[in-house]
Amino acid sequence: IIQYNNSIEFLSRVISSGPPFYHTHSYYEIFYVLSGTVEHYFNGKKEILTPGDLYIMAPGDVHNFLGSKEEYSHRDIMLSCKLWEVMCQNLHVNLFDVLLPSQQKIHLSPEGMRSLETSISHFFHHRQKNARTEENPFIYVVLTDIIKRFLFRYTQNESELDSRVPAWLTKLINQLSLPENITKDKREILSSLHYTQEHVCRVFKQHMHETITDYINSKRLDLAASMFWTTNKTVREICY
């Protein structure tokens, strides 16, 4: 499996084939089929994609275009984790965490594809040299349109969205209960997550009602107190 770690803020292009090998990305990739059909592999599942099929792939997802039997093309959109996070946060505080686990594929109507193609065309037409992507208003039109289509497929209501604890947060809390992880630096602990540190800290505080730094320090104090009463180690040995 090849991993692409390109530093991409935003890139869009129409291509007639994908990389002929299994690969993953450090950024988000959105693609939708414009014409023809193609056999596509995604996280262990193979299927035939037809015009209008759209996928959003998160960092770490594995996919591959296995070949097409006719003239084929798709629109590829690649964007940084930070840009995707900002777009989701603008719509709902928890959307970034729950959108993809619920559904990663939708089907666009011909009108939907034309709408997206028009918005992307406007984005590039209004793109200024050396300007940041988020300064172009049409990037919000493009990504909000895609996110909106996924939301229409989302079955939970808003109150459930507010209260749902992301799976990654539950896993993180379980990891922080292990002594070998408590002693690690916070950046090392968070490095395995495919989210920015700012987002992790914000969602952690929202659900745990304390900062992740305070939580880790509390766990460290609990561990130190346990070691003080149950071992022969001195305070200096426990601290260092």
Side-chain angles (χ1 to χ4, degrees):
I1 298 175
I2 305 298
Q3 180 166 3
Y4 292 109
N5 292 312
N6 310 56
S7 179
I8 290 176
E9 184 184 29
F10 180 84
L11 176 65
S12 180
R13 60 191 179 183
V14 174
I15 59 178
S16 57
S17 64
F21 43 78
Y22 297 100
H23 62 282
T24 183
H25 310 271
S26 61
Y27 47 84
Y28 282 84
E29 180 181 10
I30 302 169
F31 77 86
Y32 51 91
V33 179
L34 294 169
S35 62
T37 60
V38 66
E39 187 176 3
H40 182 244
Y41 172 98
F42 177 74
N43 288 343
K45 178 183 177 181
K46 293 181 182 180
E47 62 180 323
I48 300 297
L49 302 184
T50 60
D53 286 337
L54 181 151
Y55 261 102
I56 299 182
M57 285 164 288
D61 285 336
V62 178
H63 80 124
N64 184 14
F65 295 93
L66 301 175
S68 59
K69 298 180 179 179
E70 55 185 293
E71 186 175 345
Y72 165 82
S73 66
H74 73 253
R75 164 72 67 180
D76 221 355
I77 302 172
M78 291 158 278
L79 59 154
S80 68
C81 294
K82 183 64 177 178
L83 182 58
W84 179 254
E85 175 185 335
V86 168
M87 289 303 307
C88 290
Q89 287 291 328
N90 284 342
L91 295 174
H92 193 285
V93 66
N94 276 354
L95 185 59
F96 183 64
D97 299 303
V98 302
L99 178 61
L100 290 191
S102 65
Q103 180 79 18
Q104 287 189 255
K105 177 191 172 186
I106 59 173
H107 185 79
L108 300 173
S109 66
E111 293 77 13
M113 282 198 293
R114 284 195 292 269
S115 174
L116 279 177
E117 287 295 296
T118 299
S119 298
I120 291 172
S121 176
H122 285 316
F123 168 81
F124 284 109
H125 179 73
H126 292 275
R127 193 174 196 176
Q128 297 180 358
K129 188 177 181 180
N130 299 324
R132 293 182 301 171
T133 300
E134 58 264 33
E135 294 175 353
N136 186 326
F138 284 96
I139 188 61
Y140 295 92
V141 176
V142 173
L143 297 181
T144 300
D145 190 3
I146 293 172
I147 292 172
K148 177 186 68 177
R149 296 175 191 278
F150 271 80
L151 283 176
F152 284 141
R153 298 289 301 274
Y154 196 78
T155 58
Q156 291 183 298
N157 62 40
E158 189 167 330
S159 62
E160 290 174 322
L161 190 63
D162 284 327
S163 61
R164 178 175 173 179
V165 178
W168 65 261
L169 179 55
T170 301
K171 182 179 179 181
L172 176 61
I173 293 171
N174 290 334
Q175 290 176 336
L176 290 176
S177 66
L178 302 175
E180 60 266 29
N181 290 328
I182 295 174
T183 57
K184 294 179 180 178
D185 179 77
K186 182 175 73 173
R187 286 173 294 184
E188 183 180 359
I189 296 172
L190 303 183
S191 62
S192 62
L193 300 174
H194 296 301
Y195 304 104
T196 62
Q197 182 170 314
E198 292 82 1
H199 176 75
V200 171
C201 292
R202 179 170 57 251
V203 175
F204 189 96
K205 186 173 182 179
Q206 174 190 341
H207 289 280
M208 301 302 293
H209 307 294
E210 62 179 325
T211 67
I212 190 168
T213 299
D214 289 342
Y215 184 87
I216 292 173
N217 288 339
S218 175
K219 289 293 184 181
R220 286 172 177 168
L221 288 174
D222 290 343
L223 176 61
S226 176
M227 292 176 66
F228 181 78
W229 290 108
T230 60
T231 71
N232 295 322
K233 291 185 177 182
T234 66
V235 172
R236 180 180 294 274
E237 289 173 330
I238 291 173
C239 292
Y240 296 98

